[in-house]
Amino acid sequence: MDNRAGEMQVFVRVVEARSFSEAARQLRMTPSTVSKLIGRIEARMGVRLVERSTRRLSLTDEGQLYFERSRALLAELEDLERELARGGAHASGTVRVSASVAFGARGLVPLLPAFWERYPDIVVDLSLSDEIVDLYLDRTDVAFRIGALTDSNLVARKIGTARRRIVGSPGYLKRHGTPRTVEDLDHHNCLGFNFRRAAPVWPHRQAGRLVDRMVQGSLLANNGETVRTMAIAGVGLGRLADFHIDPDIAAGRLVEVLTSEEHSDAEDVHALHLGGQRVPPRVRAFLDDTVPRLQAFMAGQGQQDVSVAIDTGAGKEHRLV
């Protein structure tokens, strides 16, 4: 049986020390032993990881990837051993979380201060992006997703349902007119998205069925917050989730249009995670703490004040089929 974790530790120390000899000194090994060990890793994988020279050490692209993954895996191993040593009774370690920009900023981020009051030893590694992440490849513990779910290997907790609305600023509508029919969208600047799963269409109900209507505009963004900001600035119309823009509608910054014709295309919001019943204590603590409060947030359709949520600190599982 080989000791790949030990090899990773040596390789990471070499990279961090930027020297075979310095890493050997720290590890209490000889430089030749360290060099041979790195050579053994390279031979096994059939790639060169390190460019050796008398003056400096540099990594190949493969070496950089191996370094980053090794360091992450070793950190995860430390988290696991720490949890097991404490008998799982005290949740600690890092929880890697992914969410869309709007849902993360509006719904999740305001809940974190209260979460840390209860679990001060859990680090939340949070990434906000409207792109869909692969929980396996990106080593994500929890992903909040809006829309249809297809991966049957994941476990989901439903957060709520988001409805898309078409909105514009009062100033934009005054200058360009308020669309009365979906055909009127042809004469408006419809702000869109550029991520892979996006399409330049806005769905609406026609003769009892859902139809996609092609739209175009001067902006293609990779997140809803940019579209919202430009819509408020009067650049054009945006189609955004209600939890994202309900406070703007209530404040008069945005006005919903096509309320009688636009289909209230609704998408479910879920918290997804790996592991089934064998969920690490740190991940289960995060889910059990945040999911009920996010469900309350969705039930209120984003009306709560973010600053109040931060200051006050104020789900049933099912397997996908």
Side-chain angles (χ1 to χ4, degrees), residues 168-172 175 191 226-236 253-254:
S169 71
Y172 174 87
R175 292 191 304 274
L191 311 178
T226 298
V227 172
R228 168 186 169 269
T229 300
M230 292 298 98
I232 292 174
V235 174
R253 292 184 291 268
L254 291 173

Side-chain angles (χ1 to χ4, degrees), residues 122-170:
I122 292 181
V123 176
V124 178
D125 186 342
L126 177 62
S127 297
L128 300 183
S129 171
D130 286 10
E131 289 281 6
I132 294 179
V133 302
D134 186 307
L135 272 70
Y136 298 94
L137 296 180
D138 294 308
R139 299 180 59 255
T140 299
D141 295 306
V142 179
F144 294 97
R145 287 186 184 168
I146 303 173
L149 302 176
T150 58
D151 194 333
S152 61
N153 294 318
L154 302 177
V155 175
R157 296 191 189 188
K158 185 175 178 179
I159 303 296
T161 301
R163 172 180 173 253
R164 303 286 181 179
R165 300 187 182 192
I166 296 179
V167 293
S169 71

Side-chain angles (χ1 to χ4, degrees), residues 14-207:
V14 167
V15 176
E16 291 177 342
R18 299 182 181 181
S19 165
F20 280 84
S21 58
E22 176 59 23
R25 186 190 67 79
Q26 295 176 11
L27 295 168
R28 297 183 179 181
M29 302 169 66
T30 65
S32 62
T33 300
V34 171
S35 180
K36 289 178 181 178
L37 189 148
I38 300 302
R40 187 164 69 233
I41 300 174
E42 293 176 324
R44 184 177 65 244
M45 294 191 296
V47 296
R48 180 172 290 277
L49 302 176
V50 179
E51 296 291 354
R52 300 162 175 81
S53 70
T54 56
R55 293 189 177 183
R56 66 186 185 91
L57 178 150
S58 61
L59 295 178
T60 64
D61 291 342
E62 292 81 4
Q64 183 65 35
L65 177 61
Y66 188 75
F67 168 67
E68 293 173 356
R69 295 289 179 87
S70 295
R71 186 168 56 177
L73 286 171
L74 291 171
E76 188 168 346
L77 180 60
E78 289 181 4
D79 289 345
L80 173 61
E81 291 179 345
R82 189 181 301 114
E83 288 178 4
L84 294 178
R86 294 177 177 179
H90 181 78
S92 64
T94 299
V95 180
R96 295 168 181 84
V97 182
S98 171
S100 70
V101 176
F103 185 81
R106 293 275 185 178
L108 181 59
V109 169
L111 306 182
L112 293 180
F115 170 78
W116 282 316
E117 288 182 6
R118 288 182 279 274
Y119 300 99
D121 295 326
I122 292 181
V123 176
V124 178
D125 186 342
L126 177 62
S127 297
L128 300 183
S129 171
D130 286 10
E131 289 281 6
I132 294 179
V133 302
D134 186 307
L135 272 70
Y136 298 94
L137 296 180
D138 294 308
R139 299 180 59 255
T140 299
D141 295 306
V142 179
F144 294 97
R145 287 186 184 168
I146 303 173
L149 302 176
T150 58
D151 194 333
S152 61
N153 294 318
L154 302 177
V155 175
R157 296 191 189 188
K158 185 175 178 179
I159 303 296
T161 301
R163 172 180 173 253
R164 303 286 181 179
R165 300 187 182 192
I166 296 179
V167 293
S169 71
Y172 174 87
L173 298 176
K174 182 177 181 180
R175 292 191 304 274
H176 300 280
T178 299
R180 305 298 178 185
T181 67
V182 291
E183 288 76 16
D184 291 342
L185 293 177
D186 295 343
H187 309 293
H188 282 271
N189 191 26
C190 298
L191 311 178
F193 296 96
N194 61 10
F195 38 81
R196 290 186 300 273
R197 60 190 174 90
V201 296
W202 286 358
H204 69 284
R205 184 69 67 178
Q206 183 177 6

